[in-house]
Amino acid sequence: MRLKKIKGADEAVEASKYVVHEEDKQFGKWHELFGNQNPIHIEIGMGKGRFLMDLAKQNPQVNYIGIERYSSVLYRALQKMEEEPLTNLFFICMDASTIHQVFAPREVARIYLNFSDPWPKDRHAKRRLTSVEYLKRYHIILTPEGLVEFKTDNEALFDFTLESVAAAGWKLSGCTRDLHHDLQMNQGNVMTEYEERFSTKGNPIYKLIAYR
Ligand code: SAM
């Protein structure tokens, strides 16, 4: 993704009450931060946060955490939160490769991966958020019934993900190569920014839901 560095974004992220700093210190204590025992759902690579904000508004009985590595992108979500604050949503500015050092075993009930960066070169395959390496980290932090929900418009990344899921011994509870024309899988679908952009261009949206 091409990234425009926004002046003041680092400072805004650093000062924001909606961003959890020193996130590794919350390890095993995320429920305390929300002040309840509601399930915790996270989105890795949340971008500007539209998807999570819509979900957080729809589901006050769920706690949400959005993870984004670039402050200039996260900054846009913070601006929206200032306008319309939500008590069941926090953000972390971090690279997800250390996700298992931030969440304790079985602390997370669901992981959303939406339009993840494809990393098309073979030598970068381990960086894909649906690689076996990442699935191993998700296995640690997810509850036994936990789910990974993945959407993309990138067929090669989707095929790669199907292989990773099988190689890691996970199973599929849902899979479609045309989400918006799949009545069952599309029920209650919340669109992401990228999903709207790509589907407007006519690209089919791929989705799978994986569990162990
Ligand atoms: N999920 C949003 C959507 O569907 O509209 C944004 C999709 S955008 C293509 C992918 C986002 O994931 C970017 O903002 C990127 O910075 C973030 N990202 C990619 N790899 C990441 C990682 N390892 N850790 C945290 N964020 C990551």
Side-chain angles (χ1 to χ4, degrees):
M1 187 174 83
R2 266 211 329 266
L3 181 74
K4 205 168 122 215
K5 184 92 184 128
I6 295 176
K7 210 171 157 226
D10 286 344
E11 294 77 5
V13 166
E14 189 55 43
S16 175
K17 60 181 180 222
Y18 304 117
V19 179
V20 178
H21 306 287
E22 297 196 84
E23 59 276 359
D24 48 338
K25 295 211 174 123
Q26 279 298 134
F27 186 90
K29 293 194 249 170
W30 286 96
H31 283 107
E32 288 175 28
L33 177 76
F34 289 100
N36 60 50
Q37 287 301 313
N38 293 341
I40 293 173
H41 295 185
I42 68 176
E43 183 185 9
I44 302 179
M46 54 164 263
K48 297 176 191 163
R50 162 181 159 176
F51 171 80
L52 269 196
M53 284 182 198
D54 285 347
L55 278 186
K57 273 181 245 168
Q58 278 180 23
N59 306 300
Q61 75 290 357
V62 176
N63 298 322
Y64 292 96
I65 298 167
I67 294 164
E68 170 54 51
R69 68 175 159 191
Y70 292 123
S71 60
S72 293
V73 182
L74 179 53
Y75 181 51
R76 298 299 186 203
L78 298 183
Q79 290 174 319
K80 288 186 235 164
M81 276 285 269
E82 294 289 346
E83 283 166 25
E84 205 176 345
L86 293 158
T87 56
N88 59 335
L89 174 59
F90 283 98
F91 303 114
I92 309 174
C93 195
M94 67 174 280
D95 187 294
S97 55
T98 55
I99 194 85
H100 53 303
Q101 292 162 19
V102 166
F103 294 97
R106 298 179 295 284
E107 200 166 21
V108 174
R110 193 171 304 177
I111 299 174
Y112 292 105
L113 305 169
N114 293 318
F115 298 83
S116 309
D117 295 348
W119 292 105
K121 291 186 180 143
D122 282 349
R123 69 172 191 277
H124 291 148
K126 286 184 183 175
R127 297 185 193 174
R128 297 175 194 149
L129 292 177
T130 55
S131 63
V132 169
E133 288 74 15
Y134 270 97
L135 289 176
K136 283 183 188 158
R137 296 170 187 140
Y138 305 155
H139 171 69
I140 297 171
I141 66 172
L142 275 174
T143 59
E145 309 76 31
L147 301 175
V148 170
E149 294 202 13
F150 171 61
K151 291 196 277 192
T152 184
D153 73 317
N154 186 311
E155 187 177 23
L157 182 62
F158 193 73
D159 289 340
F160 168 84
T161 303
L162 288 173
E163 284 170 25
S164 300
V165 163
W170 292 48
K171 294 163 220 111
L172 293 178
S173 67
C175 182
T176 176
R177 289 178 178 267
D178 192 357
L179 176 64
H180 296 173
H181 293 101
D182 184 318
L183 271 185
Q184 204 185 338
M185 290 278 289
N186 200 40
Q187 220 174 27
N189 182 49
V190 172
M191 293 259 263
T192 81
E193 266 140 0
Y194 273 68
E195 183 171 356
E196 180 146 311
R197 195 184 298 174
F198 291 127
S199 58
T200 304
K201 281 192 200 165
N203 297 14
I205 305 300
Y206 301 73
K207 178 171 181 177
L208 63 79
I209 303 174
Y211 68 101
R212 293 97 86 223

